[in-house]
Amino acid sequence: DAGITQSPRHKVTETGTPVTLRCHQTENHRYMYWYRQDPGHGLRLIHYSYGVKDTDKGEVSDGYSVSRSKTEDFLLTLESATSSQTSVYFCAMAEGGYGYTFGSGTRLTVV
Amino acid sequence: AQSVTQLGSHVSVSEGALVLLRCNYSSSVPPYLFWYVQYPNQGLQLLLKYTSAATLVKGINGFEAEFKKSETSFHLTKPSAHMSDAAEYFCAVSEPGANSKLTFGKGITLSVRP
């Protein structure tokens, strides 16, 4: 979709292993976000970035870390995956506070 | 802090009937408000947004929403439902300047009966 892609689209991993999800944008937008979507919870913010090397925590950041070494890439890492982190993860980008453009999501299953 | 309340998790309407999805918000400053739609196994797509201009906002696919400050509401409507409107709908709020962060409601699933 519109200049933002996520990889992989699907992943199955084992409990205790590290996992990295990638978000790549081609729009040179300043802001990028990682959300997780779970039934009954809507979308909850994990981490966000407001520039290269500038990141901050969201409401459900425990167990996750992020990095943004280039404007176009925003990585989400699960240091040691747990079953509670089984979810659909969405990346989004924004510029100017007028709403997000979302990626297509990554479905992560931790077994 | 900002928050969004979407009452109920599921709405069912007949094809051709009025669609009304409710959203109430809380914000410490005049907010920006958004409605997103998510079709099965897809990402979220922006339906419409309010960013302090006209209070009645028209979006894609015949949807519209009205910002009512006195009621802290931003309900989504469509005069006549179509089968293709079946999806999950999310209301979201942001505070201008606050790193553009959106806070989402829990979503409402719309079903359309033939």
Side-chain angles (χ1 to χ4, degrees):
Chain A
D1 246 330
I4 184 166
T5 55
Q6 293 183 233
S7 59
R9 291 296 309 277
H10 302 271
K11 185 170 182 67
V12 179
T13 192
E14 292 187 349
T15 298
T17 60
V19 177
T20 295
L21 308 183
R22 181 178 185 246
C23 181
H24 179 77
Q25 57 127 330
T26 58
E27 305 296 319
N28 203 36
H29 283 347
R30 177 182 178 187
Y31 300 103
M32 297 185 75
Y33 311 84
W34 278 106
Y35 283 82
R36 60 178 289 174
Q37 183 179 23
D38 304 289
H41 292 276
L43 282 87
R44 293 179 291 175
L45 182 65
I46 304 171
H47 282 279
Y48 66 98
S49 170
Y50 45 96
V52 173
K53 293 190 168 66
D54 291 324
T55 65
D56 206 349
K57 296 178 180 180
E59 63 179 300
V60 291
S61 60
D62 288 348
Y64 302 94
S65 63
V66 291
S67 66
R68 192 166 179 202
S69 58
K70 298 184 290 184
T71 298
E72 57 264 37
D73 291 324
F74 192 34
L75 305 180
L76 176 71
T77 297
L78 289 66
E79 303 291 346
S80 177
T82 68
S83 59
S84 65
Q85 294 176 311
T86 292
S87 186
V88 180
Y89 292 85
F90 285 100
C91 177
M93 62 181 179
E95 189 70 43
Y98 296 110
Y100 294 174
T101 301
F102 281 89
S104 298
T106 295
R107 185 174 296 275
L108 177 68
T109 303
V110 183
V111 299
Chain B
Q2 57 200 27
S3 65
V4 170
T5 301
Q6 294 184 251
L7 291 178
S9 60
H10 185 242
V11 169
S12 181
V13 300
S14 297
E15 192 172 20
L18 171 72
V19 175
L20 170 61
L21 304 180
R22 298 180 185 274
C23 172
N24 289 89
Y25 70 90
S26 173
S27 177
S28 57
V29 300
Y32 291 168
L33 293 157
F34 307 83
W35 276 99
Y36 284 85
V37 60
Q38 184 181 33
Y39 300 102
N41 299 312
Q42 295 187 25
L44 282 78
Q45 178 183 3
L46 181 66
L47 267 181
L48 50 80
K49 61 187 176 186
Y50 165 77
T51 55
S52 73
T55 57
L56 181 62
V57 181
K58 294 185 184 299
I60 61 172
N61 302 337
F63 284 93
E64 63 181 38
E66 186 172 9
F67 171 67
K68 292 187 176 181
K69 182 179 178 181
S70 61
E71 299 177 6
T72 60
S73 69
F74 190 59
H75 303 330
L76 182 70
T77 61
K78 182 174 181 178
S80 176
H82 192 272
M83 297 297 291
S84 61
D85 295 327
E88 191 162 18
Y89 292 80
F90 293 92
C91 183
V93 62
S94 75
E95 296 182 356
N99 290 320
S100 302
K101 284 187 296 179
L102 291 185
T103 298
F104 287 84
K106 294 186 176 181
I108 298 176
T109 299
L110 175 66
S111 299
V112 182
R113 304 184 301 270

